[in-house]
Amino acid sequence: MTQKDITFVADFLTEHFNEAPELYNRKGKYFNVERVGQYLKDEDDDLVSPPNTEGNQWFNFLKDSTHLKESPLLFPYYPEKSLHFVKRQMEGIIEQCLQKPADVIGKSVHQAVCMSLYKISQSEDSTPQLFKLPFLWNDKTSNLHYVLFTMLENSISKIHILRRHTDTSRSVSNGILAVEFGNFLNNSINESSDSRCYSCLDAHFYDDETVTVVLKESVQQEGKERVLAQLPLS
């Protein structure tokens, strides 16, 4: 420890471990070190040693401001209460604020379309993860929603694109389609169809007209090739 550290500790002990006779008839510790612990108790009781707010710039500012003094936007201050009490009060107010929007938004949401992507056996104990990496994109120019995703198992070389109009009453052509990468990166016609097969590791929209995909060579060998490709939606 440095001399500075020792000084800090000595100052702390001098300030906080002085006996407090006025607290002798109260439960708990008789030392002012409780100034720290009292804030952390999960109790509704008043603090043993409330803080001294005299000279606090924020309280002085509020006291001198006619507009802010009674503002409902400011969270009320409880100088006699612990942080747990204040936390519960704040959680209750936040919950109250969020409840009305949740009710309104919840009642306004409805199912626009239902598509069956795959079926699984009812006898299986655990449902396999077949739906992977959904990425959402909103084309504000054309008022279209896009969802990019891949399906595992039998279609690892495909990426699916779901397209819906933001106006649920309107439909768009090719609402859902799949792009298969397969062996499209073969260097020559002499390569067999199975020699360079690719699957999609990740996919994101680059902009309204372009999709960026990361492809992985599917063959089981060291040094698998990775390809970063830009695909136009058209």
Coordinates of all heavy atoms in Angstrom, one line a residue, residues 13-75:
L13 N -11.7 5.8 8.7 CA -12.0 5.3 10.0 C -12.2 6.4 11.0 O -13.1 6.3 11.9 CB -10.8 4.5 10.5 CG -10.5 3.2 9.7 CD1 -9.2 2.5 10.3 CD2 -11.7 2.2 9.8
T14 N -11.5 7.5 10.8 CA -11.7 8.6 11.7 C -13.1 9.3 11.6 O -13.7 9.6 12.6 CB -10.6 9.7 11.4 OG1 -9.3 9.2 11.6 CG2 -10.8 10.9 12.4
E15 N -13.5 9.3 10.4 CA -14.8 10.0 10.1 C -16.0 9.1 10.5 O -17.0 9.6 11.0 CB -14.9 10.4 8.6 CG -16.2 11.1 8.3 CD -16.3 11.4 6.8 OE1 -15.3 11.2 6.1 OE2 -17.3 11.9 6.3
H16 N -15.9 7.8 10.1 CA -17.1 7.0 10.2 C -17.2 6.1 11.4 O -18.3 5.5 11.7 CB -17.2 6.1 8.9 CG -17.4 6.9 7.7 ND1 -18.6 7.5 7.4 CD2 -16.6 7.1 6.6 CE1 -18.5 8.1 6.3 NE2 -17.3 7.9 5.8
F17 N -16.1 5.9 12.2 CA -16.2 5.0 13.4 C -16.2 5.8 14.7 O -16.0 5.3 15.7 CB -15.0 4.1 13.4 CG -15.2 2.9 12.5 CD1 -14.8 2.8 11.2 CD2 -15.9 1.8 13.0 CE1 -15.1 1.7 10.4 CE2 -16.1 0.6 12.2 CZ -15.7 0.6 10.9
N18 N -16.5 7.1 14.6 CA -16.8 7.9 15.8 C -18.0 7.4 16.5 O -19.0 7.1 15.8 CB -16.9 9.4 15.5 CG -15.5 10.0 15.1 OD1 -14.5 9.5 15.5 ND2 -15.6 11.0 14.2
E19 N -18.0 7.3 17.8 CA -19.2 6.9 18.5 C -20.3 7.9 18.3 O -20.1 9.1 18.2 CB -18.9 6.7 20.0 CG -18.0 5.5 20.3 CD -18.0 5.2 21.7 OE1 -18.9 5.7 22.5 OE2 -17.1 4.4 22.1
A20 N -21.6 7.4 18.2 CA -22.7 8.3 18.0 C -23.7 8.1 19.1 O -24.6 7.2 19.1 CB -23.4 8.0 16.7
P21 N -23.5 8.8 20.2 CA -24.4 8.6 21.4 C -25.9 8.8 21.1 O -26.7 8.1 21.7 CB -23.9 9.7 22.4 CG -22.5 10.0 21.9 CD -22.5 9.9 20.5
E22 N -26.2 9.6 20.1 CA -27.6 9.8 19.8 C -28.3 8.6 19.2 O -29.5 8.5 19.1 CB -27.8 11.0 18.8 CG -27.3 10.8 17.4 CD -25.8 11.0 17.3 OE1 -25.1 11.2 18.3 OE2 -25.3 11.0 16.1
L23 N -27.5 7.6 18.9 CA -28.0 6.4 18.3 C -28.1 5.2 19.3 O -28.5 4.1 18.9 CB -27.2 5.9 17.1 CG -27.0 6.9 15.9 CD1 -26.1 6.3 14.8 CD2 -28.4 7.3 15.4
Y24 N -27.7 5.5 20.5 CA -27.6 4.4 21.5 C -28.9 3.7 21.8 O -29.0 2.5 22.1 CB -27.0 4.9 22.8 CG -25.5 5.1 22.8 CD1 -24.8 5.7 23.8 CD2 -24.8 4.7 21.6 CE1 -23.4 5.9 23.8 CE2 -23.4 4.9 21.6 CZ -22.7 5.5 22.7 OH -21.4 5.6 22.6
N25 N -30.0 4.5 21.7 CA -31.3 3.9 21.9 C -32.0 3.3 20.7 O -33.1 2.9 20.7 CB -32.2 4.9 22.5 CG -32.4 6.1 21.6 OD1 -31.7 6.3 20.6 ND2 -33.4 7.0 21.9
R26 N -31.2 3.2 19.6 CA -31.7 2.7 18.3 C -31.2 1.3 18.1 O -30.1 0.9 18.6 CB -31.3 3.6 17.1 CG -31.8 5.0 17.2 CD -33.3 5.1 16.9 NE -33.6 4.7 15.6 CZ -33.6 5.6 14.6 NH1 -33.3 6.9 14.8 NH2 -33.9 5.2 13.3
K27 N -31.9 0.5 17.4 CA -31.4 -0.9 17.1 C -30.2 -0.8 16.1 O -30.1 0.1 15.3 CB -32.5 -1.7 16.5 CG -33.6 -2.0 17.5 CD -34.7 -2.9 16.8 CE -35.8 -3.2 17.8 NZ -36.8 -4.1 17.2
G28 N -29.4 -1.8 16.2 CA -28.3 -1.9 15.2 C -27.0 -1.3 15.7 O -26.8 -1.2 16.9
K29 N -26.2 -1.0 14.8 CA -24.8 -0.5 15.1 C -24.9 0.9 15.7 O -25.8 1.7 15.5 CB -24.0 -0.4 13.8 CG -23.9 -1.7 13.1 CD -22.9 -2.7 13.7 CE -22.7 -4.0 12.9 NZ -21.8 -4.9 13.5
Y30 N -23.9 1.2 16.5 CA -23.8 2.5 17.1 C -22.7 3.4 16.4 O -22.3 4.3 17.0 CB -23.4 2.4 18.6 CG -24.5 1.7 19.4 CD1 -24.2 1.0 20.6 CD2 -25.8 1.8 19.0 CE1 -25.2 0.4 21.4 CE2 -26.8 1.2 19.8 CZ -26.5 0.5 20.9 OH -27.5 -0.1 21.7
F31 N -22.3 3.0 15.3 CA -21.3 3.7 14.6 C -21.8 4.2 13.3 O -22.7 3.6 12.6 CB -20.0 2.8 14.4 CG -19.4 2.3 15.6 CD1 -19.7 1.0 16.1 CD2 -18.6 3.1 16.4 CE1 -19.2 0.5 17.3 CE2 -18.0 2.6 17.5 CZ -18.3 1.3 18.0
N32 N -21.2 5.3 12.8 CA -21.7 6.0 11.6 C -21.3 5.2 10.3 O -21.6 5.7 9.2 CB -21.1 7.4 11.5 CG -21.8 8.3 12.5 OD1 -22.9 8.0 13.0 ND2 -21.2 9.4 12.9
V33 N -20.6 4.1 10.4 CA -20.3 3.3 9.2 C -21.7 2.8 8.6 O -21.7 2.4 7.5 CB -19.4 2.1 9.6 CG1 -20.2 1.1 10.4 CG2 -18.9 1.5 8.3
E34 N -22.7 2.8 9.4 CA -24.1 2.5 8.9 C -24.6 3.4 7.9 O -25.6 3.2 7.2 CB -25.1 2.4 10.1 CG -25.1 1.1 10.8 CD -25.6 0.0 10.0 OE1 -26.8 -0.1 9.7 OE2 -24.7 -0.9 9.5
R35 N -23.9 4.5 7.7 CA -24.3 5.5 6.7 C -24.3 4.8 5.3 O -25.0 5.2 4.4 CB -23.4 6.7 6.7 CG -23.6 7.6 7.9 CD -22.6 8.7 7.8 NE -22.7 9.6 8.9 CZ -21.9 10.7 9.1 NH1 -20.9 10.9 8.3 NH2 -22.1 11.4 10.2
V36 N -23.4 3.8 5.1 CA -23.3 3.1 3.8 C -24.3 2.0 3.8 O -25.1 1.9 2.9 CB -21.9 2.6 3.6 CG1 -21.8 1.8 2.3 CG2 -20.9 3.7 3.6
G37 N -24.3 1.1 4.8 CA -25.1 -0.1 4.8 C -26.6 0.2 4.8 O -27.4 -0.6 4.3
Q38 N -27.0 1.3 5.5 CA -28.4 1.6 5.6 C -29.1 1.8 4.3 O -30.3 1.5 4.1 CB -28.6 2.9 6.5 CG -28.0 4.1 5.8 CD -28.1 5.3 6.7 OE1 -28.8 5.3 7.7 NE2 -27.5 6.4 6.3
Y39 N -28.3 2.2 3.3 CA -28.9 2.5 1.9 C -29.2 1.1 1.2 O -30.0 1.1 0.3 CB -28.0 3.3 1.1 CG -27.9 4.7 1.5 CD1 -26.8 5.2 2.2 CD2 -28.9 5.6 1.3 CE1 -26.7 6.5 2.6 CE2 -28.8 7.0 1.7 CZ -27.7 7.4 2.3 OH -27.7 8.7 2.8
L40 N -28.5 0.1 1.6 CA -28.6 -1.2 0.9 C -29.6 -2.2 1.5 O -29.9 -3.2 1.0 CB -27.2 -1.8 0.8 CG -26.1 -0.9 0.2 CD1 -24.8 -1.7 0.2 CD2 -26.5 -0.5 -1.2
K41 N -30.1 -1.8 2.7 CA -31.1 -2.7 3.3 C -32.4 -2.7 2.6 O -32.9 -1.7 2.3 CB -31.3 -2.3 4.8 CG -30.0 -2.5 5.7 CD -30.3 -2.1 7.1 CE -29.1 -2.3 8.0 NZ -29.3 -1.9 9.4
D42 N -32.9 -3.9 2.4 CA -34.2 -4.0 1.7 C -35.4 -3.9 2.7 O -36.1 -4.8 3.0 CB -34.3 -5.4 1.0 CG -35.5 -5.4 0.0 OD1 -36.2 -4.4 -0.1 OD2 -35.7 -6.5 -0.6
E43 N -35.5 -2.7 3.3 CA -36.5 -2.4 4.3 C -37.2 -1.1 4.0 O -36.7 -0.3 3.2 CB -35.8 -2.3 5.7 CG -35.1 -3.6 6.1 CD -34.3 -3.4 7.4 OE1 -34.3 -2.2 7.9 OE2 -33.8 -4.4 7.9
D44 N -38.4 -0.9 4.5 CA -39.1 0.3 4.4 C -38.9 1.3 5.5 O -39.5 2.4 5.5 CB -40.6 0.0 4.2 CG -40.9 -0.7 2.9 OD1 -40.1 -0.6 2.0 OD2 -42.0 -1.4 2.8
D45 N -38.1 0.8 6.5 CA -37.9 1.7 7.6 C -37.1 2.9 7.2 O -36.3 2.9 6.2 CB -37.1 1.0 8.7 CG -38.0 -0.2 9.3 OD1 -39.2 -0.1 9.2 OD2 -37.3 -1.1 9.9
D46 N -37.2 4.0 8.0 CA -36.4 5.2 7.7 C -34.9 4.9 8.0 O -34.6 4.1 8.8 CB -36.9 6.4 8.6 CG -38.3 6.8 8.2 OD1 -38.8 6.4 7.1 OD2 -38.9 7.6 9.0
L47 N -34.1 5.7 7.3 CA -32.7 5.6 7.5 C -32.3 6.0 8.9 O -32.9 6.9 9.5 CB -31.9 6.5 6.5 CG -32.1 6.1 5.0 CD1 -31.4 7.1 4.1 CD2 -31.7 4.7 4.7
V48 N -31.2 5.3 9.4 CA -30.7 5.7 10.8 C -30.1 7.0 10.8 O -30.2 7.8 11.6 CB -29.8 4.6 11.3 CG1 -29.2 5.0 12.6 CG2 -30.5 3.2 11.4
S49 N -29.3 7.2 9.7 CA -28.5 8.5 9.6 C -28.8 9.1 8.2 O -28.1 8.8 7.2 CB -27.0 8.3 9.7 OG -26.7 7.7 11.0
P50 N -29.9 9.8 8.1 CA -30.3 10.4 6.8 C -29.2 11.4 6.3 O -28.5 12.0 7.1 CB -31.6 11.2 7.1 CG -32.1 10.6 8.3 CD -30.9 10.2 9.1
P51 N -29.0 11.5 5.0 CA -27.9 12.3 4.4 C -28.2 13.8 4.7 O -29.4 14.2 4.8 CB -27.9 12.0 2.9 CG -29.4 11.5 2.7 CD -29.8 10.8 3.9
N52 N -27.2 14.6 4.7 CA -27.3 16.0 4.9 C -27.3 16.7 3.5 O -26.3 16.6 2.8 CB -26.1 16.6 5.7 CG -26.2 18.1 5.9 OD1 -27.3 18.7 5.7 ND2 -25.2 18.7 6.4
T53 N -28.4 17.2 3.1 CA -28.6 17.8 1.7 C -28.2 19.3 1.7 O -28.4 19.9 0.7 CB -30.0 17.5 1.2 OG1 -30.9 18.2 2.1 CG2 -30.3 16.0 1.1
E54 N -27.8 19.8 2.8 CA -27.5 21.2 2.8 C -26.3 21.5 1.9 O -25.3 20.9 2.0 CB -27.2 21.6 4.3 CG -27.0 23.1 4.4 CD -26.7 23.5 5.9 OE1 -26.8 22.7 6.7 OE2 -26.3 24.7 6.1
G55 N -26.5 22.5 1.0 CA -25.4 22.9 0.1 C -25.4 22.1 -1.2 O -24.6 22.3 -2.1
N56 N -26.4 21.1 -1.3 CA -26.4 20.3 -2.5 C -26.9 21.1 -3.7 O -28.0 21.7 -3.6 CB -27.4 19.1 -2.3 CG -27.4 18.1 -3.5 OD1 -27.9 18.5 -4.5 ND2 -26.9 16.9 -3.2
Q57 N -26.1 21.2 -4.7 CA -26.4 22.1 -5.8 C -27.7 21.8 -6.5 O -28.5 22.6 -6.9 CB -25.3 22.1 -6.9 CG -24.0 22.7 -6.3 CD -22.9 22.6 -7.3 OE1 -23.0 22.0 -8.4 NE2 -21.8 23.3 -7.0
W58 N -28.0 20.5 -6.6 CA -29.3 20.1 -7.3 C -30.5 20.5 -6.5 O -31.4 21.0 -7.1 CB -29.2 18.5 -7.5 CG -30.5 18.0 -8.1 CD1 -31.4 17.2 -7.5 CD2 -31.1 18.2 -9.4 NE1 -32.5 16.9 -8.3 CE2 -32.3 17.5 -9.5 CE3 -30.7 18.9 -10.5 CZ2 -33.1 17.5 -10.6 CZ3 -31.5 19.0 -11.7 CH2 -32.7 18.3 -11.7
F59 N -30.5 20.2 -5.2 CA -31.6 20.6 -4.4 C -31.8 22.1 -4.3 O -32.9 22.6 -4.4 CB -31.5 20.0 -3.0 CG -31.5 18.6 -2.9 CD1 -30.5 17.8 -2.5 CD2 -32.7 17.9 -3.3 CE1 -30.6 16.4 -2.4 CE2 -32.8 16.5 -3.3 CZ -31.7 15.8 -2.8
N60 N -30.7 22.8 -4.3 CA -30.8 24.3 -4.3 C -31.4 24.8 -5.7 O -32.1 25.7 -5.7 CB -29.4 24.9 -4.1 CG -28.9 24.7 -2.7 OD1 -29.7 24.4 -1.8 ND2 -27.6 24.8 -2.5
F61 N -30.9 24.1 -6.7 CA -31.5 24.5 -8.1 C -33.0 24.3 -8.1 O -33.7 25.1 -8.6 CB -30.7 23.7 -9.1 CG -31.3 23.8 -10.5 CD1 -31.2 25.0 -11.2 CD2 -32.0 22.7 -11.1 CE1 -31.7 25.1 -12.5 CE2 -32.5 22.9 -12.3 CZ -32.4 24.0 -13.1
L62 N -33.4 23.1 -7.6 CA -34.9 22.8 -7.7 C -35.6 23.8 -6.8 O -36.7 24.2 -7.1 CB -35.1 21.4 -7.2 CG -34.6 20.3 -8.1 CD1 -35.0 18.9 -7.5 CD2 -35.2 20.4 -9.5
K63 N -35.1 24.1 -5.6 CA -35.7 25.0 -4.7 C -36.0 26.4 -5.3 O -37.0 27.1 -5.0 CB -34.9 25.1 -3.4 CG -35.6 25.8 -2.2 CD -34.7 26.0 -1.1 CE -34.2 24.6 -0.6 NZ -33.2 24.8 0.6
D64 N -35.0 26.8 -6.1 CA -35.1 28.2 -6.7 C -35.8 28.2 -8.0 O -36.0 29.3 -8.6 CB -33.6 28.7 -6.9 CG -32.9 28.9 -5.6 OD1 -33.5 29.0 -4.5 OD2 -31.6 28.8 -5.6
S65 N -36.2 27.1 -8.5 CA -36.9 27.0 -9.8 C -38.4 26.8 -9.6 O -38.8 25.8 -9.1 CB -36.3 25.8 -10.7 OG -37.1 25.7 -11.9
T66 N -39.1 27.8 -10.0 CA -40.6 27.8 -9.8 C -41.2 26.7 -10.7 O -42.3 26.1 -10.4 CB -41.2 29.1 -10.1 OG1 -40.8 29.6 -11.4 CG2 -40.8 30.2 -9.1
H67 N -40.6 26.5 -11.9 CA -41.2 25.5 -12.8 C -40.9 24.1 -12.5 O -41.8 23.2 -12.6 CB -40.7 25.8 -14.3 CG -41.1 27.2 -14.8 ND1 -42.4 27.5 -15.1 CD2 -40.4 28.3 -15.0 CE1 -42.5 28.8 -15.5 NE2 -41.2 29.3 -15.4
L68 N -39.7 23.8 -12.0 CA -39.3 22.5 -11.7 C -39.7 22.0 -10.3 O -39.8 20.8 -10.1 CB -37.8 22.3 -11.9 CG -37.2 22.4 -13.3 CD1 -35.7 22.3 -13.2 CD2 -37.8 21.3 -14.2
K69 N -40.0 22.9 -9.4 CA -40.2 22.5 -8.1 C -41.4 21.6 -8.0 O -41.4 20.6 -7.2 CB -40.5 23.8 -7.2 CG -40.6 23.6 -5.8 CD -40.9 24.8 -5.0 CE -39.9 25.9 -5.2 NZ -40.2 27.1 -4.5
E70 N -42.5 21.8 -8.7 CA -43.7 21.0 -8.7 C -43.9 20.2 -9.9 O -45.0 19.7 -10.2 CB -44.9 21.9 -8.4 CG -44.9 22.7 -7.2 CD -44.8 21.9 -5.9 OE1 -45.3 20.8 -5.9 OE2 -44.2 22.4 -4.9
S71 N -42.8 20.0 -10.7 CA -42.9 19.3 -12.0 C -43.2 17.8 -11.8 O -42.5 17.1 -11.0 CB -41.6 19.4 -12.8 OG -41.7 18.6 -14.0
P72 N -44.2 17.3 -12.5 CA -44.5 15.8 -12.3 C -43.5 15.0 -13.1 O -43.5 13.7 -12.9 CB -45.9 15.7 -13.0 CG -46.0 16.8 -14.0 CD -45.2 17.9 -13.4
L73 N -42.7 15.6 -13.8 CA -41.6 14.8 -14.6 C -40.5 14.4 -13.7 O -39.7 13.6 -14.1 CB -41.2 15.6 -15.8 CG -42.2 16.0 -16.8 CD1 -41.6 16.8 -17.9 CD2 -42.9 14.8 -17.4
L74 N -40.3 15.1 -12.6 CA -39.2 14.8 -11.7 C -39.6 13.7 -10.7 O -40.6 13.8 -10.1 CB -38.7 16.1 -11.0 CG -38.1 17.2 -11.8 CD1 -37.7 18.3 -10.9 CD2 -36.8 16.6 -12.4
F75 N -38.7 12.7 -10.6 CA -39.0 11.6 -9.7 C -38.9 12.2 -8.2 O -37.9 12.8 -7.9 CB -38.0 10.5 -9.9 CG -38.4 9.2 -9.2 CD1 -39.4 8.4 -9.7 CD2 -37.8 8.9 -7.9 CE1 -39.8 7.2 -9.0 CE2 -38.2 7.7 -7.3 CZ -39.2 6.9 -7.8

